[in-house]
Amino acid sequence: LSAGNYDGVKLLLSPVQPVDIAQAIGTLPMILQALAFRLLNKNEAIEVYEYLDPSVQQNLLDRLRSNEVLDLVEEMSPDDRVRLFDELPAKVVRRLLAELSPEERRVTAQLLGYESETAGRLMTTEFIDLKEFLSVSQALKLVRQRATFSETIYSLYVTDKERHLTGILSLRDLVVADPESLIGEVMTREVVNVRTDTDQEEVARAIQRYDFLALPVVDLEKRLVGIVTVDDVIDVIEQEATRDIYAAGAVQAGDEDDYFQSNLFVVARRRIVWLAVLVLANGLTTQVIAMNDEVLKQVVLLTAFIPLLIGAGGNVGAQSSTVVIRGLSTQRIQRLGLFRAIAKEALAGALLGVSMAVFVVPFAWWQGQGPLVATAVGISLIAITTLAATAGASLPLLFDRMGLDPALMSAPFITTATDVAGVLIYLKTASWLLGRLG
Amino acid sequence: LSAGNYDGVKLLLSPVQPVDIAQAIGTLPMILQALAFRLLNKNEAIEVYEYLDPSVQQNLLDRLRSNEVLDLVEEMSPDDRVRLFDELPAKVVRRLLAELSPEERRVTAQLLGYESETAGRLMTTEFIDLKEFLSVSQALKLVRQRATFSETIYSLYVTDKERHLTGILSLRDLVVADPESLIGEVMTREVVNVRTDTDQEEVARAIQRYDFLALPVVDLEKRLVGIVTVDDVIDVIEQEATRDIYAAGAVQAGDEDDYFQSNLFVVARRRIVWLAVLVLANGLTTQVIAMNDEVLKQVVLLTAFIPLLIGAGGNVGAQSSTVVIRGLSTQRIQRLGLFRAIAKEALAGALLGVSMAVFVVPFAWWQGQGPLVATAVGISLIAITTLAATAGASLPLLFDRMGLDPALMSAPFITTATDVAGVLIYLKTASWLLGRLG
């Protein structure tokens, strides 16, 4: 999606949506932001505010009069308010919390109490719950009354008097049902739900799997406490994909949204950890070469193929770990089974090694002026790619089995690990061949 | 999301949803699949069928009686039917198309006419369109009648007599509106829409940006022809993320869903293209080393640091290209501007090079027994990381500007390109130092 195309879409999307206003305000100088923001009417203002970048939201909080701020924060939907509070200094949060109305304060404090990246943090408490004894027409009246205070009116929840979730129905069900029948008769009793402590990625998977618009969240006593809506889930899916991509590129996970806004030292800090691990591992490669320098002294041209060999091994290993980690994260690998997946990658590695050898060995024969370098390169190439593919597939799977994040075994790590093994295989093969042929 | 956790979610999600039945059928032996499928009642069968894997769908088509098949295909929603037809052999598609009812045939042929990965292919034609002169209560009655034939009833579209899209309203708007008022009065006239030829990634971005449940699709004459719903968009977002991740891991893009189902040779074919490019580039590195082997003959220990240097350069370059490509794809980099983004990455590269040099240079001094190797390693390390970060940031941006896919300049390519340059810098520095110090 290039920048040019995107402008095209924007033209198509010319009508003024809150998110567009929010973006326009975001591009203004700081002093003008508050001015522009005051021009919006109150309902618009709240909607636009929820779409602003955290940094712009903070600037506005600083510049608006405190009663304006309070109005704004009071009217925000609870999940967006919690996301704002996550970004603000603790002192400001405490002050704002104290000034909220008791009801909103209770809700916000409750949401802030859940761990981040769980269903509890993601959910909103503004949903419509019905009772089984209501008739369909009574329920429709209730939905109409509460439509403006609720995040969605399309998914409706049925609770008993202890607020336990007993059923679910959609507005579609309600609209097509006989007005005289009871909610208890039209609702679905088998409800897919998550708990407040369910990881946000699992919430996203569930909504994606079942094509739901919202998912109910229950607490440990199975009482309905909130709902997660599909729009929040899309952001989670993108965030998790960015995290996987960063892991594959040896960039530490963090607040992915802000990479391009954070300063140079934050950027460097998020990258140095991985680099340090990789340099350390490469230090081992250096040691291996230094300890086997006898063979290199005899045939200097062997050196010329070290980058090619470790490059090929690294790339094959990176491919295998990429495919396996993504397969774990989209849960498509489960269909194949652990050992079959590893065996298949190992075979693919060997096959790729052989294919490359067909071209590389003649080149090495010509470049290395004889069979020694060519044979050493050929044997090592196939051994290295097979090993790299096996390691690339099995290490993430092993980590996953041990309950660790498989992304730790991502491409850069596998690449570096195969460097050490690759150089060792190559130099040992060469010195063995030198003993026999030389 | 580990396999263990996932089982936990499944327990929570115990109620039987169509997608769960589909998965259960998918795990049965082929002969039993048709048997199990016949046990479902007709409505269930259609829903379950839409969730089955393409390979299972095909198997069922082969095994069910032809009138059963026809019933099934006739009742599927048009977008799912088109997705099935995409997977079937052309002959089967022609036969099935010929046997459909005229209306369904027309719709399906129309959808099949749009290019894949566009809004036209993604959309469904089953939506509810209203007229401006209807009253709210008339409209509600219409929605109730057509609820079962429509993919969503929550987004409603208003067209004039030429079927041009003139407005949009949600069922929420309809439910809270005065029953006597006219649709023309309650609808929103500024409609965000896409065209049939809009790329599916742009459709996904628009829905994500505006938090919509569905987006109307118009043809070149601005007539409303279909809608894209949020559940299809979630799959697109995941598919595009997988594509980016595969590109970063040097695996060719393709049908990502099927990687773990495809056979060994398909797997190898999708990986050999990239590997061939990388081996070719590494052949250049080999050449560079072979042409500069004089200096290596004099100081063999220089060799020991080649893997470390190209490893460090490759990793820094991979980090920069990962961050920039992801930034382009999530459109977060635009806020920073082209040159500032490149300059920032270059500075980060230099900073990271210096940080690594602090540890690597003393190690090289000890290992290389003197200042020559240490100095060459230190100078090259900083030069290589700076260069790698600059290339990693600028090449994807350049490709994007030229209208090419920036993912072509992904981590594996940058890594290999910096190998060549890195070795050249290192050996030239070493031989220059040798001339001065040695």
Side-chain angles (χ1 to χ4, degrees):
Chain A
L1 191 68
S2 73
N5 283 342
Y6 184 59
D7 287 343
V9 188
K10 266 208 255 174
L11 279 181
L12 282 172
L13 308 177
S14 51
V16 184
Q17 296 279 338
V19 56
D20 297 321
I21 303 178
Q23 199 185 27
I25 289 181
T27 60
L28 292 174
M30 279 196 156
I31 339 176
L32 290 180
Q33 287 175 351
L35 220 68
F37 191 74
R38 284 214 184 86
L39 295 176
L40 301 169
N41 74 42
K42 198 175 155 183
N43 281 332
E44 267 181 339
I46 291 154
E47 268 202 87
V48 168
Y49 191 80
E50 293 181 348
Y51 280 111
L52 287 169
D53 277 349
S55 61
V56 183
Q57 287 183 334
Q58 285 196 40
N59 174 42
L60 283 180
L61 282 194
D62 294 343
R63 287 178 194 275
L64 294 175
R65 279 189 301 275
S66 64
N67 64 329
E68 288 173 324
V69 170
L70 199 59
D71 269 5
L72 204 65
V73 175
E74 174 83 28
E75 295 289 331
M76 288 177 85
S77 65
D79 50 343
D80 289 305
R81 190 190 300 135
V82 167
R83 241 150 279 161
L84 170 66
F85 281 10
D86 273 342
E87 303 285 336
L88 292 177
K91 229 177 76 183
V92 181
V93 170
R94 267 199 303 276
R95 204 195 64 212
L96 286 173
L97 255 182
E99 287 174 353
L100 285 176
S101 66
E103 173 56 20
E104 296 293 332
R105 185 165 60 227
R106 194 190 58 74
V107 165
T108 310
Q110 181 200 348
L111 292 184
L112 281 171
Y114 298 115
E115 267 191 81
S116 61
E117 312 211 337
T118 63
R121 262 299 170 85
L122 207 59
M123 72 186 186
T124 179
T125 52
E126 294 182 329
F127 56 86
I128 298 182
D129 52 337
L130 305 168
K131 298 293 173 195
E132 290 189 28
F133 54 77
L134 291 175
S135 75
V136 166
S137 61
Q138 283 173 315
L140 270 173
K141 197 176 291 169
L142 227 145
V143 168
R144 205 166 294 136
Q145 281 164 14
R146 290 168 60 183
T148 40
F149 309 112
S150 178
E151 180 117 355
T152 179
I153 63 164
Y154 303 135
S155 297
L156 307 166
Y157 303 90
V158 187
T159 52
D160 63 18
K161 60 180 187 296
E162 278 93 37
R163 298 190 52 76
H164 293 131
L165 183 62
T166 60
I168 186 172
L169 74 168
S170 66
L171 185 57
R172 186 197 286 241
D173 298 332
L174 209 56
V175 162
V176 298
D178 173 12
E180 299 307 308
S181 51
L182 297 181
I183 292 300
E185 296 162 16
V186 281
M187 73 183 196
T188 307
R189 283 182 193 276
E190 297 97 28
V191 186
V192 175
N193 61 55
V194 290
R195 280 183 3 187
T196 47
D197 57 355
T198 305
D199 186 87
Q200 64 172 3
E201 201 171 348
E202 291 177 27
V203 177
R205 290 269 153 247
I207 286 201
Q208 179 179 13
R209 181 176 168 87
Y210 297 107
D211 289 345
F212 285 159
L213 296 179
L215 200 58
V217 182
V218 297
D219 64 11
L220 298 180
E221 285 86 44
K222 295 193 182 297
R223 283 181 306 239
L224 179 65
V225 287
I227 61 169
V228 176
T229 48
V230 69
D231 53 314
D232 296 328
V233 154
I234 291 182
D235 298 335
V236 168
I237 290 175
E238 184 171 284
Q239 192 187 333
E240 299 284 346
T242 300
R243 202 165 286 185
D244 286 358
I245 290 173
Y246 275 24
V251 181
Q252 220 187 334
D255 194 350
E256 282 74 16
D257 291 1
D258 283 355
Y259 184 91
F260 292 102
Q261 248 122 62
S262 47
N263 70 51
L264 201 61
F265 288 94
V266 176
V267 165
R269 190 168 47 73
R270 286 179 54 188
R271 292 164 63 164
I272 193 73
V273 181
W274 258 112
L275 284 176
V277 175
L278 302 173
V279 163
L280 222 68
N282 266 317
L284 275 178
T285 315
T286 306
Q287 287 286 24
V288 168
I289 296 180
M291 278 158 53
N292 293 278
D293 63 348
E294 276 311 308
V295 61
L296 288 177
K297 271 180 193 153
Q298 290 178 54
V299 190
V300 172
L301 261 174
L302 280 173
T303 309
F305 289 90
I306 289 181
L308 192 148
L309 287 173
I310 63 181
N315 280 315
V316 169
Q319 290 178 330
S320 295
S321 80
T322 298
V323 164
V324 166
I325 291 173
R326 185 63 183 162
L328 283 169
S329 140
T330 57
Q331 297 173 348
R332 300 204 189 272
I333 204 173
Q334 270 91 342
R335 295 187 206 153
L336 196 60
L338 199 72
F339 288 100
R340 281 195 56 200
I342 296 177
K344 198 173 159 188
E345 286 301 313
L347 263 173
L351 189 66
L352 291 166
V354 171
S355 323
M356 284 189 280
V358 170
F359 299 94
V360 171
V361 168
F363 173 67
W365 195 297
W366 167 75
Q367 183 74 262
Q369 289 149 7
L372 173 73
V373 174
T375 316
V377 167
I379 294 178
S380 323
L381 184 58
I382 299 170
I384 291 171
T385 52
T386 310
L387 181 77
T390 313
S394 54
L395 289 181
L397 285 170
L398 190 76
F399 260 54
D400 186 53
R401 272 295 154 100
M402 284 160 49
L404 298 166
D405 184 2
L408 289 173
M409 289 292 104
S410 63
F413 185 85
I414 301 286
T415 307
T416 310
T418 48
D419 280 8
V420 186
V423 167
L424 193 64
I425 292 173
Y426 179 51
L427 295 181
K428 285 292 175 202
T429 312
S431 67
W432 175 74
L433 282 171
L434 203 65
R436 305 207 57 178
L437 302 176
Chain B
L1 192 68
S2 73
N5 284 341
Y6 184 60
D7 288 341
V9 188
K10 266 207 256 173
L11 278 180
L12 283 172
L13 308 177
S14 51
V16 185
Q17 295 278 338
V19 56
D20 296 323
I21 303 179
Q23 198 186 29
I25 290 181
T27 58
L28 292 174
M30 281 196 154
I31 339 175
L32 290 180
Q33 287 174 353
L35 219 69
F37 191 74
R38 283 214 185 87
L39 295 176
L40 301 170
N41 73 43
K42 199 175 155 183
N43 282 333
E44 267 181 339
I46 292 153
E47 269 202 87
V48 169
Y49 191 80
E50 293 180 349
Y51 281 113
L52 287 169
D53 278 349
S55 61
V56 183
Q57 286 182 333
Q58 285 197 39
N59 173 42
L60 283 179
L61 282 194
D62 294 343
R63 287 177 195 273
L64 293 176
R65 280 188 301 275
S66 63
N67 65 330
E68 287 173 325
V69 170
L70 198 61
D71 270 6
L72 203 63
V73 175
E74 174 84 29
E75 295 289 333
M76 286 178 85
S77 66
D79 51 341
D80 289 308
R81 191 192 298 136
V82 167
R83 241 150 279 161
L84 169 66
F85 281 11
D86 274 342
E87 303 284 337
L88 292 176
K91 229 177 74 182
V92 180
V93 170
R94 268 199 303 277
R95 206 196 63 211
L96 285 173
L97 255 181
E99 287 175 352
L100 285 176
S101 65
E103 171 57 20
E104 296 293 333
R105 185 165 60 228
R106 193 190 58 72
V107 165
T108 309
Q110 181 201 348
L111 292 183
L112 281 172
Y114 297 115
E115 268 192 81
S116 61
E117 312 213 334
T118 63
R121 263 299 171 85
L122 206 59
M123 72 187 188
T124 180
T125 52
E126 295 182 327
F127 54 87
I128 298 181
D129 52 335
L130 305 168
K131 297 293 172 197
E132 290 189 28
F133 53 78
L134 291 176
S135 73
V136 166
S137 61
Q138 283 173 314
L140 271 173
K141 198 179 289 171
L142 228 146
V143 168
R144 206 166 292 139
Q145 279 163 16
R146 290 168 62 183
T148 40
F149 309 110
S150 177
E151 179 114 356
T152 179
I153 63 165
Y154 303 134
S155 298
L156 308 166
Y157 304 91
V158 187
T159 53
D160 63 17
K161 61 180 185 297
E162 277 91 37
R163 297 192 51 78
H164 292 131
L165 183 62
T166 60
I168 187 172
L169 74 168
S170 66
L171 185 57
R172 186 198 287 241
D173 298 332
L174 209 57
V175 162
V176 297
D178 172 13
E180 301 305 312
S181 51
L182 296 180
I183 293 298
E185 296 162 17
V186 279
M187 73 183 194
T188 307
R189 282 179 194 278
E190 298 99 26
V191 186
V192 176
N193 61 55
V194 290
R195 281 182 3 187
T196 49
D197 58 354
T198 305
D199 187 87
Q200 62 173 4
E201 200 171 349
E202 290 177 29
V203 177
R205 289 271 155 246
I207 286 203
Q208 179 179 12
R209 181 176 167 85
Y210 297 107
D211 289 347
F212 285 160
L213 296 180
L215 201 58
V217 183
V218 298
D219 64 11
L220 298 180
E221 286 86 45
K222 295 195 183 294
R223 284 183 306 240
L224 180 64
V225 288
I227 61 168
V228 176
T229 48
V230 68
D231 53 315
D232 296 327
V233 154
I234 291 183
D235 298 335
V236 168
I237 290 175
E238 184 171 284
Q239 192 185 333
E240 299 285 347
T242 299
R243 203 165 285 183
D244 286 357
I245 289 174
Y246 274 26
V251 182
Q252 219 187 333
D255 194 350
E256 282 74 17
D257 290 3
D258 282 356
Y259 184 91
F260 292 103
Q261 248 121 64
S262 47
N263 71 50
L264 201 59
F265 288 94
V266 176
V267 165
R269 190 170 46 74
R270 285 179 55 188
R271 292 165 61 165
I272 194 73
V273 182
W274 259 111
L275 284 176
V277 174
L278 302 173
V279 163
L280 222 67
N282 266 317
L284 276 179
T285 315
T286 306
Q287 288 286 24
V288 168
I289 296 180
M291 279 157 51
N292 293 278
D293 62 349
E294 277 311 307
V295 61
L296 288 178
K297 271 180 193 152
Q298 289 179 51
V299 190
V300 172
L301 262 174
L302 279 174
T303 309
F305 289 91
I306 290 182
L308 193 150
L309 287 174
I310 64 182
N315 281 314
V316 170
Q319 289 177 331
S320 294
S321 81
T322 298
V323 165
V324 166
I325 291 174
R326 185 62 183 165
L328 283 169
S329 140
T330 55
Q331 297 172 349
R332 302 206 187 270
I333 206 172
Q334 271 91 340
R335 296 188 204 152
L336 195 60
L338 200 71
F339 289 100
R340 281 195 54 200
I342 296 176
K344 197 173 160 188
E345 286 299 313
L347 263 174
L351 189 65
L352 291 167
V354 172
S355 324
M356 283 188 280
V358 171
F359 298 95
V360 170
V361 168
F363 174 65
W365 195 297
W366 167 74
Q367 182 75 260
Q369 290 150 5
L372 173 74
V373 174
T375 316
V377 166
I379 293 177
S380 323
L381 183 59
I382 298 170
I384 292 170
T385 52
T386 311
L387 181 78
T390 313
S394 54
L395 290 180
L397 285 169
L398 190 75
F399 261 53
D400 185 53
R401 272 295 153 101
M402 286 160 51
L404 297 166
D405 184 2
L408 289 174
M409 290 290 106
S410 62
F413 185 86
I414 302 286
T415 306
T416 311
T418 48
D419 279 9
V420 186
V423 167
L424 193 64
I425 292 173
Y426 179 51
L427 295 182
K428 286 291 176 201
T429 312
S431 66
W432 174 74
L433 282 171
L434 204 64
R436 304 204 59 176
L437 301 177

